[in-house]
Amino acid sequence: MVNLFNIKRKIQDGSLKEMWIEAKWILGYIKRYKAQVAFYIFLFSIGAIFGLLNAVASKYLIDSLANRQIKVIVTIAVIYISFGLFEILTGALTNRITSKIDLRVINDIRIDIYDSILNIDSEHLMDFHSGDLLNRINSDARTVAGSVVGMIPSFITRVLQFTGSFIIIMYFDYVMAILALASAPVSMIVSDLLVKKMRKHNKKMREASSKLMSYHEESFVNIAAIKALGLKSVFTNRHKEQLENFKTTSLDYNKFSIHTHLFMSITGLIVSYLCFGWAVFRLYQGFITFGTMVLFLQLAGMLRSSFSSLISLIPSSISATTSAGRIMEIIEKPTDDCDATNDEQTLKSARKRGVVISLEDVSFSYRKGKKVFEDACILARPGETIALVGPSGGGKTTLLKILLGQLKHQKGRLGIYPFNEKHKNIVFDDKARLLFSYVPQDNMLFSGTIADNLRLAKPDATEEEIKDALVMADAYDFVSNLPDGINSNVEERGKNFSEGQIQRLSIARALIRKAPILLLDEATSSLDVDTERKILMNIKRIKGEVTCILTTHRPSVLGICDRVYRVSGGKCTLFGGGESLEPDLQDVLEAY
Ligand SMILES: Nc1ncnc2c1ncn2[C@@H]1O[C@H](COP(=O)(O)OP(=O)(O)O)[C@@H](O)[C@H]1O
Ligand SMILES: [Mg+2]
């Protein structure tokens, strides 16, 4: 009673409440496959019932053997064998259904995690290392799916087996039944105490495994740097340290599990010896037959094993709910989805007239960081090329990410609207994203061919369009010299190309979409000045009035820009003119 009261209190506060929420989340996936789950629970239950009937049949088989009742022996033997066969067949069938549900649930969970990761607001996504995300979508998803198909039937079968064997023993001998149940209160109390500790260990294990995966992932991505900087031995040693940490955490958990298991098993063993002793005593007294003795021993074994299986479901459920909690952490992060949508007319107008981008007194700070800039004002109109300059860390990339809707500013107004239609501000819905082309600071080529990479931006692009985009990005010459031309393979992150070639391919991919807004973040930093100028001039000549904002360090290209802003020291100012130009900018902002 005390124990039950304890559990109730624990459910209301702390880890059991969390477990309950996580278990409900897992239940959501099971509900999707109600019919299949019900069917395989049915099969499992039949299996469990047959197990019990088998035990009873063996009693009668032995008793009839003792009494030499040949006819009964044959009948029981036939029943006995059919039970056995049926058990094997249901086993095969449940195996197949279990695999099907397991794979469906794991796919569902992975789809949900993958989609959530793609939707998480970029600032919150930084809370996770990519290795950690890999671990969650792999191991945690597998643990949860495994628990869905493993734990539920196991629970139901064991409960059935437990109550069934208990009732049968009770029917023949109630003292035996009470003895068989002796371990229950001990195990309950101990398991209650263990839950919290087990959860802590489990979380630690998961974190250790995520840390290890993150370390591996980071090392493999940066393998070139590790070699170039002569850091092989440093990283090898660190790897050993990481493995050592993982080993220690795993062994801690293992020790804890062994202790728990030992305790439970010894309790079970004592109980089964008690039962055995009692059965022998009753047989000796002549109260029971040999058959009943065999039945008792079988059932007592079943009772013990079903009870310890039920107890061992506690660690499994802790492991499953811990993994569920880690997946929920991803799924519950704020997304960058947009509640509002643009009307078709606004988007059409933006494509036709071009887009004005304006920042008016915009301030921005990272969630985990200081203020990047305050009261920034920027204006970019169709046909204009605007440059953002400033020292590294000044806030240029941050500013472009605000324009892309990836980061949300805290103060001021961001205007993105069709030329001369300031009242039709565009929100960042999925369709509006097609108005943007962006070349990020880090290379972002995908595995596949060059054509595949360009077709990511425009799936129906013809070879001619691909060629035109490559020409504009000054990439056609080197691409056409490759043996397979535009069908040449791009290895992981474009490692078979030079930085400059990667940048030109990325620019070509941005240009093929023919979007009215083009944002280039140090997109030409690895190119020589002439090539850079050539590409920027090509962009300026694009028909349809592109609004282009680029960040650069090169003074040489500033000459072809319509306006230059300096992003530095928390400010964003019109370059050169400083404060004297500010009123002009305000006027221009008013006008468009
Ligand atoms: N995710 C982030 N969280 C916190 N601070 C950040 C983050 N990204 C960038 N910063 C900080 O914001 C400032 C501006 O960075 P960034 O926009 O990348 O500069 P730039 O592109 O001009 O080199 C830097 O001080 C940088 O440390
Ligand atoms: Mg930058």
Side-chain angles (χ1 to χ4, degrees):
M1 202 60 210
V2 172
N3 188 48
L4 284 180
F5 182 73
N6 233 352
I7 289 182
K8 196 177 159 212
R9 187 176 49 75
K10 280 197 170 182
I11 288 178
Q12 278 160 357
D13 53 40
S15 55
L16 277 179
K17 188 179 175 189
E18 261 174 47
M19 260 180 90
W20 176 238
I21 295 171
E22 290 152 0
K24 271 207 303 205
W25 178 82
I26 299 178
L27 212 64
Y29 286 96
I30 303 172
K31 277 190 189 154
R32 296 187 192 175
Y33 302 105
K34 270 195 290 237
Q36 290 97 319
V37 172
F39 184 59
Y40 89 108
I41 286 176
F42 171 71
L43 285 182
F44 266 98
S45 312
I46 290 186
I49 291 167
F50 276 140
L52 288 169
L53 293 180
N54 235 335
V56 177
S58 65
K59 163 193 155 55
Y60 288 106
L61 186 63
I62 291 168
D63 284 348
S64 42
L65 262 177
N67 300 328
R68 304 190 179 279
Q69 298 165 300
I70 298 298
K71 227 173 141 190
V72 184
I73 294 173
V74 174
T75 321
I76 293 174
V78 170
I79 296 174
Y80 197 53
I81 293 166
S82 356
F83 282 164
L85 277 178
F86 200 85
E87 234 184 318
I88 294 173
L89 289 178
T90 46
L93 197 58
T94 42
N95 183 338
R96 179 75 183 156
I97 300 174
T98 307
S99 305
K100 277 191 178 173
I101 301 178
D102 179 48
L103 289 168
R104 281 184 189 154
V105 171
I106 199 164
N107 279 0
D108 281 359
I109 296 177
R110 285 185 175 154
I111 288 171
D112 288 348
I113 301 177
Y114 190 82
D115 291 353
S116 300
I117 293 174
L118 292 188
N119 282 322
I120 293 178
D121 162 272
S122 30
E123 265 207 89
H124 285 90
L125 189 59
M126 287 173 213
D127 294 344
F128 304 97
H129 190 288
S130 43
D132 182 24
L133 291 176
L134 276 179
N135 197 21
R136 289 177 200 227
I137 201 170
N138 280 299
S139 318
D140 289 303
R142 192 174 302 124
T143 309
V144 171
S147 77
V148 168
V149 287
M151 273 166 53
I152 296 174
S154 176
F155 178 76
I156 292 174
T157 328
R158 295 312 187 171
V159 167
L160 260 176
Q161 208 177 42
F162 183 82
T163 33
S165 28
F166 186 72
I167 290 169
I168 297 172
I169 296 181
M170 193 79 174
Y171 174 77
F172 285 103
D173 191 333
Y174 72 96
V175 180
M176 178 86 166
I178 292 170
L179 279 178
L181 261 193
S183 66
V186 185
S187 310
M188 286 276 280
I189 292 171
V190 175
S191 64
D192 176 31
L193 293 173
L194 291 180
V195 167
K196 209 170 168 186
K197 223 171 167 191
M198 230 179 243
R199 241 174 104 79
K200 218 172 100 194
H201 271 289
N202 223 290
K203 267 193 183 150
K204 258 181 142 170
M205 271 291 294
R206 297 273 159 213
E207 278 160 19
S209 128
S210 268
K211 234 173 134 180
L212 188 62
M213 204 172 232
S214 304
Y215 183 80
H216 285 150
E217 199 251 5
E218 206 165 292
S219 314
F220 299 150
V221 169
N222 294 315
I223 212 153
I226 293 172
K227 283 185 183 176
L229 299 171
L231 294 174
K232 269 201 273 188
S233 58
V234 175
F235 271 76
T236 312
N237 289 337
R238 277 199 202 157
H239 184 224
K240 284 180 191 153
E241 272 169 35
Q242 294 277 348
L243 289 176
E244 201 53 38
N245 281 344
F246 183 73
K247 191 182 89 189
T248 316
T249 318
S250 303
L251 283 179
D252 273 358
Y253 185 52
N254 173 263
K255 197 158 120 193
F256 175 74
S257 306
I258 288 175
H259 285 166
T260 320
H261 191 76
L262 267 180
F263 181 82
M264 299 296 181
S265 307
I266 289 171
T267 317
L269 207 65
I270 293 170
V271 168
S272 71
Y273 285 151
L274 278 176
C275 290
F276 184 73
W278 178 250
V280 170
F281 177 63
R282 298 294 275 171
L283 186 68
Y284 179 75
Q285 284 185 322
F287 282 119
I288 57 168
T289 61
F290 273 109
T292 315
M293 161 87 179
V294 171
L295 173 69
F296 276 0
L297 293 182
Q298 279 199 45
L299 291 179
M302 270 190 203
L303 258 191
R304 185 164 68 87
S305 78
S306 53
F307 192 75
S308 64
S309 297
L310 281 174
I311 293 289
S312 74
L313 283 180
I314 295 175
S316 315
S317 60
I318 287 178
S319 156
T321 47
T322 309
S323 286
R326 281 163 54 84
I327 297 172
M328 286 164 76
E329 257 174 45
I330 296 179
I331 291 176
E332 286 168 359
K333 283 276 177 201
T335 63
D336 56 13
D337 286 346
C338 179
D339 300 333
T341 49
N342 298 293
D343 69 80
E344 282 298 326
Q345 200 50 45
T346 308
L347 296 176
K348 227 169 146 180
S349 189
R351 287 203 163 271
K352 205 167 136 211
R353 296 159 167 262
V355 180
V356 178
I357 294 182
S358 73
L359 283 186
E360 293 170 41
D361 301 320
V362 166
S363 302
F364 178 83
S365 313
Y366 279 101
R367 202 160 48 96
K368 295 178 185 164
K370 57 178 184 11
K371 190 160 267 179
V372 183
F373 44 76
E374 201 161 17
D375 297 333
C377 291
I378 279 185
L379 178 71
R381 288 170 294 190
E384 286 184 336
T385 302
I386 304 298
L388 305 178
V389 297
S392 167
K396 304 179 291 297
T397 300
T398 307
L399 215 151
L400 288 188
K401 285 187 176 164
I402 291 175
L403 301 181
L404 275 167
Q406 286 186 359
L407 295 172
K408 308 229 167 12
H409 55 286
Q410 287 86 27
K411 197 186 131 249
R413 181 176 182 274
L414 166 64
I416 298 172
Y417 47 89
F419 185 66
N420 260 343
E421 290 183 326
K422 194 170 181 177
H423 57 286
K424 289 186 177 171
N425 209 25
I426 294 168
V427 293
F428 292 106
D429 67 2
D430 285 344
K431 282 187 182 160
R433 297 207 179 271
L434 300 178
L435 298 174
F436 291 84
S437 271
Y438 173 51
V439 182
Q441 197 167 356
D442 315 312
N443 116 59
M444 280 213 315
L445 290 185
F446 293 88
S447 308
T449 64
I450 293 178
D452 290 341
N453 266 278
L454 267 70
R455 286 199 177 105
L456 282 175
K458 190 167 193 284
D460 56 351
T462 60
E463 292 210 353
E464 206 51 39
E465 285 175 290
I466 291 176
K467 184 186 158 195
D468 289 348
L470 289 170
V471 168
M472 269 212 283
D474 201 35
Y476 191 66
D477 280 352
F478 88 80
V479 172
S480 55
N481 277 327
L482 296 170
D484 294 322
I486 61 167
N487 294 317
S488 304
N489 227 25
V490 177
E491 309 272 305
E492 186 190 0
R493 295 173 64 83
K495 63 185 172 197
N496 52 335
F497 294 108
S498 75
E499 273 302 313
Q501 288 173 332
I502 290 171
Q503 285 195 332
R504 281 180 281 166
L505 292 176
S506 304
I507 295 171
R509 187 178 56 196
L511 293 177
I512 201 167
R513 186 179 262 179
K514 297 200 167 72
I517 305 165
L518 180 60
L519 305 176
L520 305 172
D521 196 359
E522 318 252 1
T524 47
S525 58
S526 299
L527 303 177
D528 57 275
V529 176
D530 286 345
T531 312
E532 182 176 46
R533 277 183 80 85
K534 198 164 148 195
I535 295 174
L536 293 178
M537 288 311 291
N538 285 345
I539 292 171
K540 270 186 92 72
R541 278 195 289 268
I542 297 174
K543 277 189 291 188
E545 304 280 321
V546 174
T547 308
C548 176
I549 303 181
L550 55 91
T551 72
T552 184
H553 280 109
R554 300 257 179 80
S556 50
V557 295
L558 299 183
I560 58 168
C561 293
D562 296 276
R563 267 188 305 288
V564 178
Y565 295 89
R566 184 179 166 80
V567 189
S568 154
K571 291 263 171 264
C572 172
T573 40
L574 254 177
F575 192 54
E579 274 163 28
S580 65
L581 278 176
E582 286 296 330
D584 292 346
L585 181 61
Q586 280 304 335
D587 288 348
V588 184
L589 280 171
E590 290 295 314
Y592 293 93

